[in-house]
Amino acid sequence: MSIKKRAIIMARVSSDEQAKGYSLNIQEDNMRKWCEDRGVEVVKCFREDHSAKNFNRPEWKELKKYARINQKSIDMILVTTWDRFSRNTTDAFNELHYFRNIGILKSIQQPIDFSIPESKELLAIYLTLPEVDNDRRSMKIKEGIRAALKSGRWSRCAPIGYKNSRDENNKPIIVTNEKADGIKLAFTEISQGSSQQFVLKNLKQFGFTVSRNNLSLLLRNPLYVGKVRVPANETEPEEIVEGVHEPIIDYELFIKVQDVLNKGYKDRNRKKENSAKPELPLRGILFCSNCGKKVTGSASRSKTLLLSLQLL
């Protein structure tokens, strides 16, 4: 009498795949049917909804832990296709090497006979194609984002004072929200000479708090004047284009604030005048032989030195 084999099954979808109609239930049903047809007992089912770009996935860690503890009673670990297992070629081979010692990882729709050395070539194709697909998809997304920016549309997370929305053609656009008045206040007060610390305190009355660094970035953001910055890439330089969204402040106010910020930057970085004293003519000219920094000097109040000078 043959001993019935036992299997772990694993179904996975990512968040964007769920939106496209992929189903954990269908994967699980297919694997259970495969096991039933071959007299294999399913002892555990793992279901996850994480991206397979890496193996830092809670459910996958639980699967590995369960397989390690029960390795003597598990004959196989099943996935529907190899892209359900991983979409990262390098990490996938590392995981396969790990499971080689405690069990057999199988794909029911893309079967591979691991006893044949040449089968690794087919496995490499199965594992590489999903990664190539990810890379290609990433390129298309970046190209789409850049195209939107060049057309004046901000399709990323809206900055303070705006919220993400859709226009009448269902295209992404940003529209002003209740914090827009706070943005106007910030620009107006800076243009009138108020400090950034003073502006930060006043912004709290509008229901939001920003850090000093984020306020500086906010004050230089051309989105608030109705323009969109398109960053440089390998073939095109950075450019500023006219946006399709409503500006919060006018151009004259924005330029005035830039002048204030630039003046403050120049004042902070202005080269200090040389305060050399006649009695220290080499201060700032000589360099230390150990650290390479300029050598300084100062008058000494040592009584011993004064006594030596008097003796001379």
Side-chain angles (χ1 to χ4, degrees):
M1 182 179 178
S2 60
I3 300 176
K4 194 173 186 178
K5 291 187 176 182
R6 309 174 84 227
I8 299 172
I9 61 177
M10 192 272 284
R12 184 200 64 80
V13 293
S14 60
S15 299
D16 59 333
E17 288 174 332
Q18 288 186 59
K20 295 177 183 178
Y22 284 78
S23 171
L24 289 170
N25 291 333
I26 292 176
Q27 292 179 48
E28 182 178 345
D29 290 344
N30 288 339
M31 285 185 285
R32 288 189 180 277
K33 180 66 167 57
W34 187 93
C35 291
E36 183 182 342
D37 292 343
R38 290 159 179 78
V40 177
E41 178 187 357
V42 177
V43 296
K44 187 75 173 176
C45 176
F46 291 88
R47 296 159 60 101
E48 60 179 3
D49 57 357
H50 282 68
S51 169
K53 291 181 180 179
N54 58 58
F55 287 93
N56 188 26
R57 294 138 43 189
E59 196 70 3
W60 178 257
K61 292 179 179 179
E62 286 297 317
L63 184 151
K64 286 184 68 174
K65 179 180 178 181
Y66 183 89
R68 183 177 65 252
I69 295 173
N70 299 278
Q71 57 183 292
K72 294 182 179 180
S73 59
I74 299 299
D75 298 292
M76 63 189 73
I77 301 168
L78 298 178
V79 294
T80 52
T81 56
W82 289 107
D83 64 346
R84 299 302 92 198
F85 163 60
S86 173
R87 300 180 75 87
N88 181 307
T89 308
T90 303
D91 290 348
F93 274 112
N94 289 335
E95 292 297 304
L96 283 168
H97 180 74
Y98 171 82
F99 278 111
R100 197 171 296 166
N101 298 322
I102 64 172
I104 299 175
L105 188 60
K106 290 178 177 283
S107 165
I108 65 171
Q109 295 177 10
Q110 296 171 331
I112 292 179
D113 186 352
F114 287 98
S115 65
I116 302 174
E118 287 76 12
S119 64
K120 292 180 181 178
E121 297 176 358
L122 181 58
L123 176 63
I125 294 174
Y126 283 143
L127 292 175
T128 303
L129 287 177
E131 185 172 351
V132 172
D133 179 61
N134 270 352
D135 293 344
R136 178 58 61 185
R137 188 183 308 170
S138 176
M139 287 180 61
K140 288 182 178 180
I141 291 174
K142 290 179 181 178
E143 290 171 358
I145 291 175
R146 186 172 184 80
L149 292 176
K150 294 184 74 170
S151 68
R153 293 187 179 276
W154 186 259
S155 57
R156 300 172 179 174
C157 182
I160 299 174
Y162 287 103
K163 64 180 179 179
N164 294 101
S165 184
R166 293 274 173 174
D167 62 15
E168 63 277 5
N169 297 316
N170 199 34
K171 291 185 177 181
I173 193 171
I174 53 175
V175 296
T176 58
N177 62 12
E178 68 281 357
K179 294 180 179 178
D181 289 339
I183 300 299
K184 291 180 183 178
L185 174 70
F187 275 91
T188 301
E189 291 188 340
I190 291 294
S191 70
Q192 294 173 351
S194 298
S195 68
Q196 291 191 31
Q197 194 64 35
F198 177 79
V199 172
L200 289 172
K201 292 181 179 179
N202 280 350
L203 287 178
K204 292 182 179 179
Q205 65 180 299
F206 290 90
F208 64 95
T209 303
V210 295
S211 66
R212 176 69 180 272
N213 181 62
N214 284 338
L215 178 61
S216 297
L217 296 175
L218 181 154
L219 293 169
R220 293 188 180 277
N221 193 340
L223 278 174
Y224 294 113
V225 76
K227 299 184 183 297
V228 175
R229 178 183 284 113
V230 183
N233 64 7
E234 295 81 3
T235 59
E236 298 177 328
E238 179 182 279
E239 60 177 318
I240 304 282
V241 301
E242 199 67 34
V244 298
H245 61 282
E246 176 187 354
I248 292 179
I249 61 169
D250 59 54
Y251 183 74
E252 289 73 17
L253 177 57
F254 183 79
I255 293 301
K256 189 172 183 179
V257 169
Q258 305 316 300
D259 291 340
V260 171
L261 296 176
N262 291 336
K263 182 179 183 302
Y265 177 81
K266 291 178 181 178
D267 290 343
R268 288 194 302 273
N269 292 275
R270 182 178 297 158
K271 186 176 181 180
K272 295 182 180 179
E273 296 181 3
N274 187 1
S275 57
K277 296 182 179 181
E279 62 270 26
L280 300 171
L282 298 180
R283 185 167 79 173
I285 298 177
L286 296 180
F287 290 85
C288 175
S289 60
N290 291 327
C291 66
K293 294 183 179 179
K294 291 181 179 180
V295 175
T296 185
S298 61
S300 174
R301 296 182 180 180
S302 168
K303 293 183 179 180
T304 303
L305 177 60
L306 290 175
L307 179 61
S308 299
L309 291 174
Q310 289 174 356
L311 292 175
L312 290 174

